[in-house]
Amino acid sequence: MQSSINRHGLPPDPDELIAEGDPPFADTAEQTACEKADESLNALQHEVRLLNARIGVLREDAEAALKAKATSVDASAHVQLGDYPWLKLAAAIGATFVAARLVRRLPLGVLLAGFAGHIHEVRRQ
């Protein structure tokens, strides 16, 4: 801190004190620090509100995209499989399950004999 009298024997100029970093009044420095803290807090709160708004917009966009995709998949299924596409898919899955059970019950020798005969016919041609 600078002394109360400068080298010329005069009281210091307040601008010199401020330039050196010593505030002319201690209360002023506390108010400025409090004001800076309040401004910083307000800026952070504003940023948080903006981020919350952006997150809300992203959520709405994601929901809209999922709904559009679900509608597109449903329409595609109807185009490919006609009416009741999910019922037809369930029937195909059930038929595959039954066919797999039947194949498992067949003896392995019968399957290999059938494949061997098929491979022999293919080689002849």
Side-chain angles (χ1 to χ4, degrees):
M1 180 166 181
Q2 190 173 5
S3 66
S4 59
I5 299 204
N6 64 14
R7 62 183 161 175
H8 303 293
L10 299 172
D13 184 23
D15 292 334
E16 290 176 8
L17 291 175
I18 293 173
E20 291 178 9
D22 291 337
F25 304 104
D27 294 341
T28 307
E30 288 179 17
Q31 282 182 335
T32 329
C34 287
E35 288 173 358
K36 286 181 182 178
D38 287 341
E39 288 175 11
S40 184
L41 179 63
N42 289 336
L44 288 174
Q45 288 174 342
H46 180 70
E47 288 293 323
V48 167
R49 284 192 300 271
L50 286 176
L51 289 173
N52 282 334
R54 289 178 185 165
I55 288 172
V57 168
L58 289 174
R59 280 185 184 150
E60 290 173 2
D61 288 348
E63 288 176 8
L66 287 174
K67 287 179 183 176
K69 184 66 177 174
T71 304
S72 171
V73 166
D74 189 49
S76 176
H78 280 286
V79 167
Q80 292 176 7
L81 300 173
D83 292 334
Y84 307 108
W86 308 116
L87 180 63
K88 291 179 181 178
L89 283 174
I93 291 171
T96 304
F97 178 77
V98 169
R101 287 287 184 151
L102 291 175
V103 168
R104 283 184 186 171
R105 290 185 182 188
L106 289 176
L108 186 60
V110 173
L111 288 176
L112 290 177
F115 285 132
H118 179 69
I119 290 172
H120 182 68
E121 287 295 321
V122 170
R123 284 190 180 172
R124 275 188 182 175
Q125 295 175 354

